[in-house]
Amino acid sequence: MSALGTVRDTVSRFTSGSATIFALLVAVLVAIAVLNPSFVEPPSLMAFLRAAAPLVVLAIGQYFVIVSGEFDLSVGALVGAQVVIAARLIDGEEANTVPVMLLMLGFAVVVGLVNGLVTTLLRVPSFITTLGMLLVLNGAIRVWTGGAPTGALSESFRQWGRSGIDMPVLRQLPWALLIAVVVAVAAVLLMRAPFGRTLVSTGDNDVAAGYAGVTVWRVRTAAFVLSSVLATLAAVLIGGFAGVTAQVGQGLEFVAITAVVLGGVVLGGGKGTVVAAIAGALTYQAIDRLFTQLDLPSTTRPVLQGVIIIAAVAYAARGRDRATSAPPAPPHRSESERTPVATG
């Protein structure tokens, strides 16, 4: 590769969406550290990562759906429903914990299948399908509980969200962080497997993917199921950390989508990496922490969050456009090809 091509590739990497989100993440973390030097101490960093872990898990699930060309607006309602169901059925009894968690997993698979099959086989736009599921879940929980959740989560259920492994220096390595790391590694491996490539190709051009032999409806339905299962895992972490309230999952669907888009994943599918989506979730959490350090009023935070996110996404999109519109590098020619050959 020529020196010009190397420079062009380097510039392209640092102006792409992924590079933008990592730069923003570092900038926000540095700003927090300047305002509060104790933030860089290991216990404080562990607390930050524990709080970010549920959003990381949710963002990974949302990434699978978005990169396949769809949306999942039901994850926030599913988180709330799963926490309420767990509290009501466990009711503080340790013996009920494992059976109820298995029931939650089965419920997540059913919700994902309904979202996926209605979207792919009945060809209802996923925006409508999952918005309907959001309303159904919220309404069903209100009818079941009368608007006031009852029961209690067991200690073995809550430990995944608020406990960890006691260690020197770190003080505690949170279970939530370990779970998020395992999910992230599994997601990266999955995206490098044939399933991940078919998922991206389906989001990029589902007609071409179909001609190439991809069963589009099956791939997209699997993405919805993965999203629901990971939303349920996030519910376990959030329920353990925040407890049981009727509003526990409120608005999380938009937060997860924002985190994924902030990471440079293209709405409409086909472009973006799961690592960038994870960075987007961490950045969103870091921005929220920064606003806490600045002691901004709650009425101002959404406005500033929106401005930062729009600016970051716009800059990343500009970088992608510049990279895709750049002319291809000229082919490398050997010395013999550049030297005229004498004839006659």
Side-chain angles (χ1 to χ4, degrees):
M1 180 180 291
S2 65
L4 180 62
T6 304
V7 171
R8 182 182 295 133
D9 287 347
T10 303
V11 172
S12 176
R13 280 200 298 273
F14 280 91
T15 55
S16 66
S18 298
T20 303
I21 191 58
F22 283 112
L24 180 60
L25 175 60
V26 171
V28 175
L29 291 177
V30 169
I32 297 173
V34 170
L35 293 170
N36 179 17
S38 65
F39 175 74
V40 297
E41 294 177 1
S44 295
L45 286 176
M46 290 298 104
F48 168 75
L49 292 173
R50 180 177 61 183
L55 179 56
V56 169
V57 173
L58 266 180
I60 292 173
Q62 193 68 245
Y63 165 80
F64 288 131
V65 179
I66 289 179
V67 85
S68 74
E70 304 292 347
F71 289 98
D72 189 352
L73 297 178
S74 67
V75 292
L78 183 58
V79 167
Q82 295 283 38
V83 172
V84 171
I85 289 172
R88 181 73 173 265
L89 297 183
I90 292 176
D91 201 19
E93 297 291 335
E94 290 290 345
N96 295 337
T97 303
V98 173
V100 170
M101 291 179 80
L102 292 176
L103 179 66
M104 292 167 63
L105 179 62
F107 184 61
V109 172
V110 170
V111 170
L113 282 174
V114 171
N115 282 339
L117 294 177
V118 170
T119 299
T120 58
L121 297 185
L122 300 183
R123 298 191 181 280
V124 177
S126 58
F127 178 82
I128 302 299
T129 303
T130 55
L131 180 61
M133 181 61 73
L134 179 153
L135 297 174
V136 167
L137 290 173
N138 283 340
I141 291 302
R142 284 180 180 276
V143 170
W144 189 39
T145 64
T150 58
L153 298 172
S154 63
E155 195 59 34
S156 57
F157 185 100
R158 299 199 66 176
Q159 67 171 342
W160 302 108
R162 65 176 180 179
S163 301
I165 303 173
D166 293 333
M167 299 181 68
V169 182
L170 298 180
R171 189 180 299 170
Q172 190 178 74
L173 182 61
W175 290 117
L177 173 58
L178 292 175
I179 291 171
V181 169
V182 170
V183 172
V185 171
V188 170
L189 294 177
L190 186 63
M191 291 309 296
R192 292 186 176 185
F195 172 78
R197 291 192 288 272
T198 56
L199 199 65
V200 174
S201 64
T202 299
D204 186 38
N205 189 328
D206 53 358
V207 176
Y211 281 127
V214 175
T215 310
V216 173
W217 71 266
R218 189 181 299 168
V219 170
R220 281 182 168 155
T221 301
F224 278 106
V225 172
L226 285 171
S227 176
S228 293
V229 169
L230 291 181
T232 298
L233 183 56
V236 174
L237 302 182
I238 293 172
F241 185 74
V244 183
T245 64
Q247 295 79 29
V248 69
Q250 196 170 28
L252 282 179
E253 60 278 358
F254 296 111
V255 174
I257 291 173
T258 301
V260 173
V261 175
L262 192 59
V265 180
V266 176
L267 289 175
K271 288 185 174 61
T273 66
V274 67
V275 174
I278 294 169
L282 292 173
T283 303
Y284 188 95
Q285 192 71 30
I287 291 173
D288 189 64
R289 176 64 65 90
L290 176 63
F291 288 166
T292 301
Q293 295 295 332
L294 293 172
D295 198 22
L296 292 179
S298 59
T299 52
T300 308
R301 293 187 181 195
V303 177
L304 291 178
Q305 281 177 329
V307 170
I308 292 173
I309 289 168
I310 290 172
V313 173
Y315 181 78
R318 182 170 173 269
R320 280 195 303 271
D321 292 343
R322 197 162 49 209
T324 54
S325 61
H332 175 72
R333 299 176 62 189
S334 64
E335 193 64 32
S336 59
E337 290 173 323
R338 291 195 294 269
T339 304
V341 178
T343 57

